[in-house]
């Protein structure tokens, strides 16, 4: 932009003469409104104007007092800013060869003598002016070319990608520094080298240039790209690259090759692939890697008509070791286990850790099922040797399930399920042993799958309903509230026992979806019962361990309370001891948030889990529910009675309400009254009732009539 303005400016003439009348005369001759005229009456003034303005041509009088024209010309020649400005000497002195040479030496272009011919003066000035403007134009263009050359040279030299320029015969004519560095040679070594001898496109070999993919695309004026090409350095080293070739624009006949070093991305890709299939703790395959390997093994066995076996191992008592000695000890044990499993199997067998303390093995190319049994026995014998961890010798056993192909299944899911079922069979029959998948187990597996599918449909079609079991206050028989209990009303089988479907909900992960539905339902029901029951009547719901561990639980509860316009104290959430202990810090945060809002918290089935009295102090709770097993035995077992009495007394000292579950006889009721239990629920008062029957339940009971 600046250069264009520089070329469009009017030419500027500087007239230098010590006589004013001469300046007036010169200005009158040369002023045509197409140029700018500046005037100076001595050398000092002339030099000052030269430094202040962009002068095109100087008309300089030779004879001046003080600093003459030769001195002005000499000083102009010495200054880089003014040395290229042409000088036309004006003099009244007759031509003298010595003076003329002196003037030319100091930068004079020509002379004009007084008295001058005005037409000749105009012509000379016009020619010199045009020459100077042309010179400036060339200078500007050269400067632009130099800048562009420097700019593009900098781009090429600093580019991280290798860049080659190749002629139409395939010979390399230019290589930027990155290309030379990647190919480990200098430009002189690369010049003249054939591109197709250095670059190999995917699925191609070194062939004649005219048959190469590079030449074929260049001839069709197309760009060629390859993400997994290879370059070979002149020394023969292989370099994986991403490569692009594009034809040069006309009139150049050739192509530009740009390539990027792929060694680091390829190495990272290999590492990511390895990480994706490897267990970071043991170095064995992880679940993903194992399933891939099993699929490949099944395909090979199918083609070769050779049987294979899958072994599913679960360590017996690992959780006890982990909880007692800590996770670092547990991790060390798992690593020792992994090493022993490697030693017990063949080099071509696949050993994997699925997670936790579960391991799997694929035994390829078996002759008979007894081969798998021999490996299982070898593993059990290996585990019989105690493992020393933290100075302790630990005896570890494993339960092993074995599924064979093609007897048990012909696909990955079927083999895994069969081996898993067999492992649980081994565990249920005493642990520390192996079991094969049997036909009977297969039948149970099919029944389980059918039940699981029905369960998923029940979730989708909302076959679940809530029944409500009343809770009665001991002080006066008033209704404290209801515990909502989940029931499955199957469309064909009728009412399904919770003991059957709740574990399946847990295993399939559907429990969180159902759990959220339960909370939403009881909030809705509590709002509908707004005028039917007193305001302080409570509805309780059980939270599964999986649901309690969800980060969005608190937000869901608060949203439903607001949506149904309930008081927080009208909702009670029941949590088991094991749920609280999964993550103590998370449990404390959730309980604090819920209780701060006013939601009541109950520990359900207290006494069947960890049963640490410290939890009553550590966790913020409102209610403690004593498990029905203690209540059932309290009248016949002094130990159970002592436990219940101690729990009631301790809870009262901590300002925690006590609810006794499973009260079925008047004798149990009377005894609970004597020890000061706050609240009771059980079959003595009612089973879990459908919603319409629960609405008719009396607000107060007379215990004497029970």
């Amino acid at each position: 932009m600046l250069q264009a303005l520089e070329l469009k400016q009017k030419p500027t003439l500087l007239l230098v003469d010590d006589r004013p009348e001469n300046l007036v005369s010169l200005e009158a001759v040369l002023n045509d409104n197409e140029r700018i005229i500046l005037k100076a009456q001595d050398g000092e003034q002339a030099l000052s104007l030269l430094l202040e303005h962009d002068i095109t041509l100087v008309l300089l009088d030779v004879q001046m007092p003080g600093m003459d024209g030769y001195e002005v010309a000499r000083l102009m020649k010495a200054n880089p800013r003014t040395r290229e400005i042409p000088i036309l000497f004006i003099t009244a002195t007759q031509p003298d060869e010595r003076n003329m040479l002196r003037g030319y030496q100091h930068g004079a272009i020509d002379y004009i003598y007084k008295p001058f011919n005005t037409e000749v003066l105009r012509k000379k000035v016009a020619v010199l002016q045009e020459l100077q403007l042309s010179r400036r134009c060339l200078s500007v263009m050269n400067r632009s070319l130099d800048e562009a050359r420097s700019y593009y040279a900098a781009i090429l030299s600093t580019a991280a990608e290798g860049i080659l320029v190749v002629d139409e015969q395939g010979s390399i004519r230019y290589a930027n520094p990155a290309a030379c560095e990647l190919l480990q040679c200098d430009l002189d070594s690369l010049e003249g080298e054939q591109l197709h001898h250095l670059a190999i496109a995917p699925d191609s070999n070194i062939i004649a240039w005219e048959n190469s993919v590079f030449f074929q695309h260049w001839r069709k004026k197309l760009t060629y790209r390859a993400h997994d090409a290879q370059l070979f350095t002149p020394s023969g080293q292989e370099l994986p690259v991403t490569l692009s070739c594009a034809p040069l624009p006309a009139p150049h006949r050739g192509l530009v090759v740009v390539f990027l070093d792929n060694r680091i991305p390829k190495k990272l890709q290999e590492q990511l692939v390895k990480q994706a299939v490897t267990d970071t703790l043991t170095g064995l395959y992880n679940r993903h890697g194992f399933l891939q390997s099993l699929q490949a093994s099944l395909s090979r066995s199918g083609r070769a008509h050779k049987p294979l076996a899958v072994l599913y191992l679960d360590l017996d008592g690992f959780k006890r070791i982990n909880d007692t000695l800590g996770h670092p000890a547990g991790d060390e044990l798992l690593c020792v286990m992994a090493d022993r499993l490697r030693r017990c199997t063949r080099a071509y067998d696949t050993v994997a850790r699925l997670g936790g303390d579960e391991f799997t093995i694929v035994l390829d190319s078996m002759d008979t099922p007894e081969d798998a049994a021999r490996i299982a026995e070898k593993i059990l014998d290996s585990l019989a040797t105690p493992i020393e961890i933290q100075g302790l010798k630990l005896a570890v056993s494993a339960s092993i399930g074995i599924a064979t192909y093609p007897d048990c299944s012909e696909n990955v899911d079927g083999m895994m399920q069969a081996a898993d079922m067999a492992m649980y069979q081994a565990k249920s029959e005493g642990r520390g042993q192996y079991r094969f998948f049997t036909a009977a187990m297969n039948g149970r597996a099919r029944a389980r799958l059918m039940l699981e599918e029905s369960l998923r449909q029940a979730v989708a079609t909302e076959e679940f309903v809530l029944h409500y079991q009343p809770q009665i206050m001991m002080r006066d028989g008033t209704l404290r509230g209801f515990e909502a209990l989940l029931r499955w009303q199957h469309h064909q089988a009728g009412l399904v026992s919770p003991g059957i479907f709740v574990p399946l909900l847990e295993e399939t992960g559907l429990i969180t979806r159902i759990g959220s539905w339960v909370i939403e339902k009881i909030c809705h029901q509590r709002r509908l019962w707004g005028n039917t029951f007193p305001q302080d009547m409570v509805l309780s719901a059980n939270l599964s361990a999986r649901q309690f561990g969800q980060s969005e639980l608190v937000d869901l509860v608060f949203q439903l309370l607001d949506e149904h316009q309930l008081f927080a104290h009208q909702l009670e959430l029941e949590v088991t001891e094991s749920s609280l202990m999964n993550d103590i810090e998370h449990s404390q945060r959730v309980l604090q948030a819920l209780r701060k809002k006013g939601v009541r918290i109950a520990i359900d089935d207290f006494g069947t889990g960890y049963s640490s009295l410290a939890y009553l102090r550590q966790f913020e709770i409102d209610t403690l529910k004593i498990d029905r097993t203690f209540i059932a035995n309290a009248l016949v077992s002094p130990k159970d009675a002592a436990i219940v009495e101690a729990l009631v007394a301790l809870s009262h000292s901590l300002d925690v309400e006590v609810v006794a579950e499973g009260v079925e006889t008047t004798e149990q009721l009377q005894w609970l009254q004597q020890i000061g239990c706050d609240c009771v629920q059980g079959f003595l008062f009612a089973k879990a009732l459908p919603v319409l029957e629960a609405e008719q339940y009396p607000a107060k009971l007379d215990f004497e009539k029970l």
Side-chain angles (χ1 to χ4, degrees):
M1 184 72 176
L2 184 61
Q3 295 166 351
L5 290 174
E6 184 178 344
L7 295 175
K8 290 180 180 180
Q9 289 177 350
K10 287 184 178 182
T12 301
L13 302 185
L14 175 59
L15 310 179
V16 186
D17 199 304
D18 61 310
R19 294 188 178 185
E21 61 271 18
N22 289 342
L23 293 174
V24 172
S25 176
L26 286 170
E27 183 179 14
V29 172
L30 298 173
N31 192 357
D32 58 0
N33 294 324
E34 295 298 327
R35 56 174 70 97
I36 299 171
I37 304 294
L38 299 178
K39 294 175 288 185
Q41 291 186 255
D42 54 44
E44 289 82 357
Q45 187 180 8
L47 291 172
S48 178
L49 291 171
L50 282 164
L51 295 175
E52 294 174 3
H53 299 277
D54 189 12
I55 306 300
T56 308
L57 176 64
V58 177
L59 279 67
L60 181 57
D61 186 18
V62 175
Q63 300 297 328
M64 292 187 296
M67 185 185 297
D68 62 10
Y70 296 120
E71 181 63 15
V72 173
R74 186 185 69 79
L75 293 173
M76 287 177 61
K77 190 74 172 177
N79 192 318
R81 174 178 169 78
T82 57
R83 73 166 54 123
E84 300 297 333
I85 300 174
I87 300 171
L88 179 60
F89 272 138
I90 301 176
T91 180
T93 306
Q94 291 302 313
D96 178 86
E97 185 175 339
R98 184 175 62 82
N99 288 333
M100 290 178 64
L101 289 174
R102 182 185 176 193
Y104 291 138
Q105 288 174 354
H106 287 79
I109 296 296
D110 202 355
Y111 278 83
I112 191 164
Y113 298 93
K114 302 175 185 177
F116 50 79
N117 185 305
T118 57
E119 191 60 32
V120 171
L121 177 61
R122 288 195 188 97
K123 293 293 185 183
K124 281 193 175 187
V125 167
V127 170
L128 292 175
Q129 176 182 291
E130 188 64 31
L131 287 173
Q132 176 66 355
L133 290 175
S134 298
R135 186 195 66 76
R136 286 188 177 179
C137 181
L138 287 173
S139 177
V140 169
M141 292 174 64
N142 285 334
R143 191 161 67 245
S144 298
L145 288 173
D146 288 341
E147 290 175 356
R149 189 180 298 111
S150 175
Y151 175 73
Y152 292 115
I155 292 176
L156 290 174
S157 63
T158 58
E161 294 84 359
I163 301 174
L164 302 174
V165 177
V166 182
D167 63 21
E168 58 185 320
Q169 283 77 41
S171 297
I172 296 174
R173 296 304 179 199
Y174 169 80
N176 74 334
C180 295
E181 181 179 352
L182 290 170
L183 293 171
Q184 301 177 7
C185 59
D186 54 29
L187 178 59
D188 293 338
S189 302
L190 281 176
E191 280 187 324
E193 189 74 39
Q194 288 290 301
L195 172 65
H196 64 295
H197 290 167
L198 297 179
I200 304 297
D203 303 322
S204 65
N205 296 313
I206 297 177
I207 54 178
W209 169 248
E210 291 76 12
N211 297 328
S212 70
V213 67
F214 309 113
F215 180 82
Q216 297 297 328
H217 279 75
W218 172 79
R219 189 175 62 179
K220 296 175 184 178
K221 297 181 173 54
L222 298 175
T223 298
Y224 172 73
R225 293 182 177 86
H227 295 286
D228 51 354
Q230 294 174 337
L231 287 183
F232 294 94
T233 67
S235 63
Q237 183 179 353
E238 183 179 334
L239 179 68
V241 295
T242 296
L243 181 144
S244 173
C245 297
L248 287 169
H252 307 287
R253 295 184 62 80
L255 62 155
V256 175
V257 180
V258 180
F259 59 91
L260 183 64
D261 186 359
N262 266 358
R263 284 175 294 186
I264 293 178
K266 192 170 184 180
K267 186 176 181 180
L268 289 174
Q269 183 181 13
E270 292 172 353
Q271 290 176 346
L272 289 173
V273 170
K274 184 177 180 181
Q275 290 173 2
V277 299
T278 304
D279 175 52
T280 55
L281 176 63
T282 63
L284 301 175
Y285 274 120
N286 60 14
R287 179 182 293 273
H288 180 67
F290 176 77
L291 295 178
Q292 284 185 342
S293 178
L294 177 56
Q295 180 62 65
S297 296
L298 289 173
S299 298
R300 287 194 302 271
S301 297
R303 291 191 297 269
H305 303 289
K306 294 281 289 184
L308 65 76
V310 172
L311 275 61
Y312 203 123
L313 293 83
D314 183 86
L315 299 186
D316 301 323
F318 174 76
K319 187 177 186 304
R320 173 178 52 81
I321 295 173
N322 219 18
D323 293 343
T324 304
L325 301 181
H327 290 287
D331 290 346
E332 185 178 349
L333 174 63
L334 292 174
C335 290
V336 173
M337 268 297 303
D339 183 62
R340 292 190 178 184
L341 291 178
R342 288 192 193 97
R343 295 173 184 271
C344 292
T345 52
R346 301 162 296 182
Y348 52 85
D349 293 330
T350 300
V351 183
R353 176 183 173 232
L354 298 189
D357 60 341
E358 294 181 334
F359 295 83
T360 48
I361 301 172
V362 176
L363 301 177
D364 264 321
S365 303
M366 292 192 315
D367 293 326
T368 65
E370 285 72 21
D371 293 339
R374 279 190 286 272
I375 296 292
E377 289 175 355
K378 188 176 180 181
I379 292 171
L380 294 175
D381 289 342
S382 173
L383 295 182
T385 304
I387 300 172
E388 185 171 341
I389 295 177
Q390 295 183 359
L392 300 175
K393 289 188 176 181
L394 305 176
V396 181
S397 64
S399 300
I400 305 175
I402 304 174
T404 57
Y405 166 87
D407 302 320
C408 296
S409 178
E410 295 185 3
N411 58 63
V412 171
D413 291 341
M415 289 292 291
M416 291 294 291
Q417 188 174 39
D420 187 28
M421 294 281 290
M423 183 271 292
Y424 276 107
Q425 184 71 19
K427 192 175 285 288
S428 66
E429 292 181 5
R431 305 189 177 191
Q433 57 188 328
Y434 66 87
R435 288 289 182 271
F436 280 88
F437 183 76
T438 65
M441 291 173 67
N442 190 37
R444 288 198 296 272
R446 284 198 297 269
R448 177 189 172 94
L449 286 174
M450 293 174 61
L451 181 60
E452 195 172 303
E453 181 59 29
S454 295
L455 189 63
R456 293 184 185 277
Q457 292 180 0
V459 173
T461 57
E462 297 188 356
E463 291 183 359
F464 288 100
V465 295
L466 291 180
H467 286 185
Y468 300 88
Q469 186 172 37
Q471 298 173 335
I472 311 301
M473 297 301 298
M474 295 286 285
R475 64 176 180 269
D476 55 6
T478 57
L479 179 67
R480 174 186 184 267
F482 293 94
E483 178 183 357
L485 298 171
L486 188 64
R487 297 291 183 261
W488 181 10
Q489 188 67 45
H490 192 274
H491 62 282
Q492 291 180 335
L495 206 60
V496 181
S497 169
I500 295 176
F501 70 81
V502 170
L504 272 180
L505 286 174
E506 291 275 6
E507 292 176 22
T508 57
L510 295 171
I511 192 69
T512 55
R513 182 174 169 185
I514 288 296
S516 300
W517 177 84
V518 169
I519 298 175
E520 196 279 331
K521 274 291 183 182
I522 66 170
C523 287
H524 177 70
Q525 190 61 54
R526 185 63 188 88
R527 182 181 180 183
L528 293 178
W529 281 345
N531 297 324
T532 305
F533 295 102
Q535 183 182 359
D536 59 352
M537 193 272 284
V538 178
L539 281 187
S540 304
N542 292 279
L543 295 180
S544 69
R546 189 187 295 255
Q547 187 179 15
F548 185 71
Q550 287 187 313
S551 58
E552 60 267 23
L553 171 66
V554 173
D555 291 338
L556 172 67
V557 172
F558 290 174
Q559 175 189 339
L560 291 174
L561 288 174
D562 292 341
E563 183 179 327
H564 294 283
Q565 299 178 355
L566 297 180
F567 295 106
H569 68 267
Q570 295 175 318
L571 176 65
E572 184 172 70
L573 300 177
E574 300 185 9
V575 187
T576 63
E577 298 169 76
S578 58
S579 299
L580 295 174
M581 295 306 297
N582 283 339
D583 185 339
I584 293 178
E585 291 184 2
H586 170 79
S587 299
Q588 288 176 329
R589 288 195 302 270
V590 171
L591 295 183
Q592 287 172 359
L594 291 172
R595 292 193 79 244
K596 185 176 181 180
K597 180 77 172 178
V599 177
R600 296 182 60 85
I601 302 296
I603 292 185
D604 192 22
D605 299 335
F606 190 83
T608 61
Y610 292 87
S611 302
S612 172
L613 299 179
Y615 303 151
L616 299 179
R617 174 178 55 83
Q618 186 173 4
F619 296 118
E620 297 186 20
I621 63 171
D622 300 282
T623 306
L624 184 144
K625 302 189 73 175
I626 301 176
D627 187 67
R628 65 183 63 249
T629 56
F630 292 102
I631 305 302
N633 298 320
L635 298 183
V636 294
S637 169
K639 292 183 179 179
D640 285 352
I643 290 173
V644 174
E645 291 180 20
L647 288 177
V648 171
L650 178 62
S651 297
H652 288 167
S653 67
L654 296 175
D655 197 24
V656 173
E657 187 178 44
V658 180
V659 176
E661 296 182 299
V663 179
E664 298 182 358
T665 67
T666 54
E667 290 79 11
Q668 292 171 343
L669 175 64
Q670 292 169 357
W671 178 72
L672 289 169
Q673 283 178 318
Q674 292 173 7
I675 66 173
C677 183
D678 300 304
C679 181
V680 288
Q681 73 179 86
F683 289 171
L684 179 63
F685 312 104
K687 295 182 179 181
L689 304 172
V691 62
L692 294 178
E693 294 183 29
E695 287 179 0
Q696 305 302 318
Y697 197 83
K700 187 173 182 178
L701 293 181
D702 185 353
F703 288 153
E704 294 182 358
K705 295 182 179 180
L706 292 176

